[in-house]
Amino acid sequence: MRLSSEVVVVKPFTNQWSEEDIILITYGDSIIKADQPPLQTLKHFLDTTIENTINSVHILPFFPYSSDDGFAVIDYSSVNESLGTWQDIEDISKDYHLMSDLVINHCSSRSAWFDNFVKGEGQGSDYFFTALPDDNLTDVVRPRTSPLLKEVETGNGKKFVWCTFSHDQVDFDFRNPEVLAAFTSIIRQYLDIGVKIFRLDAIAFLWKVTGTTCINLPETHEVVRLLRTLIESAEPQAIIITETNIPNTQNLTYFGNANEAHGIYNFSLPPLLLNTLLTGNCLYLKRWLMSMPPSQDGTLYFNFIASHDGIGLRPAEGLLSENELDTLVHTVENFGGKISWRTSDTGEQKAYEMNISLYDAMQGTVDGKDQWNFERFICAHAIMFALEGIPGIYIHSLLGTQNDYQKLANTHHNRSINRRRWQENALEEALANKSLHHARVLSTLKSLLNTRIKQPAFHPNATQFTLHLGLQLFGFWRQSQDRKQSIFCVSNVSDQPITLPLSELNLIITESWFELISKKEITELTQKILLTPYQTVWISNVIT
């Protein structure tokens, strides 16, 4: 993902990314300052506080919207004037790889397109998917409990529009090629303004056929392949990442044969990693990692453990037992989190996602709160930063933001608990206050990232093997693509000190070995290292 104005022809199966690529996930107004457009405030934060640590930024929907904090788009071609202008977006794209949402499954019921649908004339009048209440909809899979169909009086009579998420988010009908044509124009505009990474929001629900599950249909995969072809032909260095909060095996299908998404969200990582650190047992995380196929050249995993949404539980289905899931949900509730629900295919109410700031989710274990909040939180990131793929770090994790109960009370939406808006002066005061954890979190995570981006063995496509070190030590081995660097990544995932015998690792005796995080040389390969609770080591034969 090079920043360049040159025309470059990229061959298929080419890795356009490296160990230097880190993506910050943020709203355009996560940090605000009086009398300054938030996008300019964000740019200042990136240029000063982040400095040269993070080279990419995912600005969550920055368009005019009516609900869902941006994901009910009113106008795809405009910047929300409360955030700034297209010039502000372009200024960021000149210095950072810019990732933007393509909210392609639905738009706002207040959009001009839907207004025309209601009128029964003009662009948009035939853009939306409709069904009848007596159609066979029993197998439809969706992440909400609200009624699927919304009754609307239109110029063409009564219609029932399809609403996968909410009645303010009306689903498009991609059977109409004009809808696809409209989105190709939108993509072209975003490319021209400097977008290089497209996040295909809720793409799994794109195509609907009554009488089916209406998720992951073959036509949806065909649309992803087509969009990739169109985007690559227009801008060879641009890439697609699919957002599919679904069970792991289904999620993996969006790679296709390395001809669909360049990247997929590694949705199973957040619940499995949280479960590991709250139980002190890495069994499920280790089993999952062992089963994951390496990403082919030209594809990547997008790793994250916190985002603007909650910690999804569907990607843990089949990976964690029902008892494990129940314990995880109850523990998060005890730490002040909220639970969002969905209706299963049997009509049962099931936990869909856990809404909590990641820092607060790490307050303790399944046995209750303890003194290891900071260490557990850092351990989670040290594991994520080292895994195969590109790391995405949520701005509120980078800052150690805690649950925002005031915003939750104002909006009555569970996801608001982890979507704080920092006043810039309040943030600066928090980062300057040594008695608070925010500065320590920021400096520690930046230090880990600054170490990561120098290691060829942390290339997103570098070799990875899972280590077998028991249930309290979670470890894996990375090797650079030129085979010159090896890194053994081991974390104590428990609240007790654990001894790591170096003899359990394949540390070749003719090499010199270093611990990258502490920057200490290892002089005796038969020694044992005592790992304090939640300590991580990165043991490398190359120091950079």
Side-chain angles (χ1 to χ4, degrees), residues 367-381:
D367 296 322
K369 296 181 181 180
D370 60 23
Q371 73 271 36
W372 302 111
N373 194 167
F374 174 83
E375 290 80 6
R376 192 178 290 110
F377 179 80
I378 296 300
C379 179
H381 286 88

Side-chain angles (χ1 to χ4, degrees), residues 343-357:
T343 303
S344 72
D345 52 6
T346 61
E348 180 186 2
Q349 296 296 294
K350 298 194 70 172
Y352 173 69
E353 70 177 15
M354 301 177 293
N355 304 109
I356 191 170
S357 79

Side-chain angles (χ1 to χ4, degrees), residues 152-167:
V152 180
E153 291 291 343
T154 78
N156 294 320
K158 183 186 296 184
K159 301 288 185 180
F160 294 89
V161 292
W162 191 284
C163 302
T164 297
F165 292 92
S166 79
H167 282 190

